[in-house]
Amino acid sequence: MQPVKKAILKGFLDMLPLCLAVIPWGILCGSLAIQNGFTALETQAMSLLVFAGSAQLVAIELMAGNTPLLTILFTTFIISSRHFLYGLAVRHKVIDQPMRWRLPVSFVLTDELFAFSHHRKAYRTKTRLIYALSAGFSFYIAWNIWTLIGIIAGTMLPDLTNLGLDFAIAATFIALVIPCIKNLPSLVTVIVAGISATLLKSTGFELWLVCSALLAMTAGYSTARLIAKKEVNA
């Protein structure tokens, strides 16, 4: 049991900084929903069942604005589609594991846990699976606690959306992305994503996020192909 206990503790401690980093994000999500007419039960259920911060925030604002259901579904699908790529990226590591392991891992495979998934031995053994589940579910519990605090704050305090809490979203993703920039294709991807997202959003283009992501992936892939081609011809 000692290795299991160590894996649980390490997963919790490794995820702890990110759990704390999303405190403003979770509070904003909870309070925003309350201030837009959601009940406390509906707000908490969204964090319990959806468990996707950016998609939750967008869905709350769209539903509060009486946006058509198809538009809400399409928008949240696009925002959350990156999780499909996360699943594909770790599929070869968990494909041999029983379903009882794969299902809970897939549920907690957020941006934060995916950042821990790049080690070549990730998910390969029972101990590493326990580590991943400990990290993932500790983040899940923390997210729901921060949402609950946001619900309470939303009923007792004035509008919290003017406090700049949404910066926590950008700060969290910056902390996740920067350590992953280890080669030129990754650097090109990040730069193109940042520049294209800024330019497209400033023009008021509704699909700025989708287009900037596609441009960035294309640029990164093209750079990787060029480097590989040069290495072959060298």
Side-chain angles (χ1 to χ4, degrees):
M1 286 296 292
Q2 195 64 23
V4 172
K5 290 181 180 179
K6 287 184 178 180
I8 294 174
L9 180 61
K10 182 169 175 55
F12 169 77
L13 293 177
D14 286 353
M15 185 60 77
L16 184 59
L18 291 174
C19 290
L20 298 177
V22 296
I23 290 177
W25 192 352
I27 293 176
L28 176 63
C29 187
S31 61
L32 182 65
I34 293 297
Q35 291 164 359
N36 276 286
F38 288 73
T39 67
L41 179 60
E42 290 170 340
T43 304
Q44 193 67 61
M46 183 177 285
S47 284
L48 286 168
L49 301 176
V50 179
F51 187 37
S54 53
Q56 287 180 229
L57 287 171
V58 171
I60 289 168
E61 294 186 349
L62 291 176
M63 285 189 281
N66 295 318
T67 305
L69 178 60
L70 286 177
T71 301
I72 297 173
L73 292 175
F74 177 74
T75 303
T76 53
F77 171 78
I78 293 299
I79 293 173
S80 300
S81 60
R82 68 187 185 280
H83 295 281
F84 175 70
L85 299 178
Y86 294 166
L88 288 177
V90 303
R91 178 181 178 275
H92 68 285
K93 297 180 180 180
V94 299
I95 193 63
D96 295 327
Q97 301 295 341
M99 188 66 70
R100 66 178 183 273
W101 289 104
R102 284 186 284 159
L103 284 179
V105 166
S106 66
F107 179 73
V108 295
L109 187 58
T110 58
D111 306 295
E112 290 75 13
L113 183 58
F114 182 70
F116 293 174
S117 303
H118 300 298
H119 193 283
R120 60 185 180 84
K121 293 185 179 179
Y123 308 107
R124 298 288 192 181
T125 65
K126 181 179 178 180
T127 301
R128 291 186 177 275
L129 284 167
I130 292 173
Y131 166 84
L133 291 177
S134 174
F137 276 102
S138 64
F139 188 81
Y140 175 73
I141 293 171
W143 175 252
N144 279 277
I145 292 174
W146 310 148
T147 300
L148 178 60
I149 293 175
I151 291 171
I152 298 171
T155 58
M156 299 177 60
L157 301 175
D159 188 1
L160 299 180
T161 58
N162 297 322
L163 299 181
L165 296 179
D166 53 343
F167 178 73
I169 301 173
T172 301
F173 279 104
I174 290 173
L176 292 174
V177 169
I178 295 301
C180 296
I181 303 176
K182 298 178 180 180
N183 51 46
L184 183 58
S186 298
L187 178 62
V188 170
T189 301
V190 171
I191 292 175
V192 172
I195 293 175
S196 59
T198 302
L199 293 177
L200 291 174
K201 187 175 183 180
S202 65
T203 63
F205 184 54
E206 292 186 356
L207 296 177
W208 63 272
L209 181 61
V210 178
C211 289
S212 59
L214 292 174
L215 288 171
M217 287 188 290
T218 302
Y221 176 74
S222 300
T223 303
R225 288 294 301 272
L226 286 173
I227 292 175
K229 188 176 181 179
K230 287 184 178 180
E231 291 177 350
V232 171
N233 295 331

